[in-house]
Amino acid sequence: MLQVRNLSKRYDAEPVFAHVDMDVAPGEFVAIVGESGVGKSTMLNCLAGLDTVSEGSVTVRDTDITKLDDQAQALFRRQHLGFVFQAFHVLPHLDVASNVGLPLMLLGKPDEARVQEALQAVGLGELGSRLPQQLSGGQLQRVAIARALIHKPALILADEPTGNLDPETAEKVMKVLVDQTRSHGTACVMVTHSQAAASQADRVLCLTRTGLRNAG
């Protein structure tokens, strides 16, 4: 589902990371760890086409997104990628159901039944009419997970999805993210500082300046 080859990123002459190779299969959950400042979030942005790469390729569902122009990349993200972030990024003026259904609306394919199914799957079936400010942090992160999966993306990219949560809530959210990713057959790449979150992945890789290695 995801194939990364010789991916490198530099700012001017300063390398952020280099020679990253990675394959992620459908339904596989991969965690990436590494020291602060090594470029984990930058790499995630490169995988999404949100940041330009200095070298290498990122292929999702047989499409090398590094060869697409900005407009084509944006359309590809809308159709095939899902995002889960530490800060949730829900829209405060929309209710929970509208937030979850937003990717379908952007694709011109609204589907209230699918939204309700997605909310039920993450344990929020009765909260669709609530506004985000009426939910806890853990509930908001589950909204973000449901929204990320609603359009059945090929790849989920998660950036510190439990960073703002207490340990008990983080564990529950990780279970939802892992279970939902696998049940949808979606590849997932998560960057995290949390060893507890990383331990729930199928593989844990460590990012260094010179590439990715197994974290053991």
Side-chain angles (χ1 to χ4, degrees):
M1 192 68 80
L2 171 67
Q3 184 181 75
V4 180
R5 292 292 179 267
N6 197 38
L7 193 69
S8 301
K9 177 66 179 179
R10 293 184 299 272
Y11 290 117
D12 296 324
E14 183 67 23
V16 181
F17 56 81
H19 311 305
V20 168
D21 292 300
M22 176 172 58
D23 292 280
V24 185
E28 185 179 21
F29 196 106
V30 175
I32 296 176
V33 299
E35 297 179 358
S36 295
V38 78
K40 297 187 298 298
S41 292
T42 300
M43 190 191 74
L44 212 65
N45 287 336
C46 289
L47 297 183
L50 294 170
D51 201 349
T52 57
V53 306
S54 301
E55 294 173 357
S57 63
V58 177
T59 302
V60 181
R61 201 174 253 177
D62 298 323
T63 298
D64 182 353
I65 65 172
T66 63
K67 296 185 182 302
L68 303 178
D69 62 26
D70 290 346
Q71 184 175 1
Q73 282 185 341
L75 181 59
F76 188 87
R77 281 193 295 272
R78 186 179 296 177
Q79 293 175 326
H80 301 296
L81 302 186
F83 300 89
V84 182
F85 298 106
Q86 179 176 345
F88 316 135
H89 292 308
V90 297
L91 298 179
H93 60 284
L94 295 181
D95 64 24
V96 167
S98 297
N99 266 288
V100 170
L102 187 59
L104 297 178
M105 290 293 295
L106 293 174
L107 290 170
K109 300 177 180 179
D111 189 331
E112 292 183 9
R114 188 190 295 186
V115 170
Q116 187 58 34
E117 288 175 6
L119 288 172
Q120 291 284 0
V122 298
L124 300 175
E126 306 302 319
L127 303 183
S129 62
R130 292 195 184 183
L131 291 172
Q133 56 264 38
Q134 297 174 296
L135 272 59
S136 68
Q139 289 171 328
L140 287 171
Q141 196 58 289
R142 283 185 278 160
V143 171
I145 293 168
R147 180 184 58 194
L149 287 162
I150 190 69
H151 58 303
K152 299 180 180 179
L155 175 65
I156 291 285
L157 300 172
D159 192 355
E160 296 286 0
T162 62
N164 283 333
L165 306 176
D166 64 83
E168 183 177 352
T169 303
E171 183 178 357
K172 292 177 181 177
V173 164
M174 279 301 304
K175 185 178 188 308
V176 171
L177 181 57
V178 172
D179 289 350
Q180 285 296 298
T181 296
R182 289 174 178 160
S183 67
H184 282 70
T186 301
C188 183
V189 177
M190 173 185 69
V191 300
T192 184
H193 285 100
S194 168
Q195 292 299 320
S199 69
Q200 298 192 45
D202 299 307
R203 284 188 289 146
V204 182
L205 304 175
C206 181
L207 181 65
T208 68
R209 299 289 184 190
T210 57
L212 282 172
R213 59 176 174 80
N214 288 326

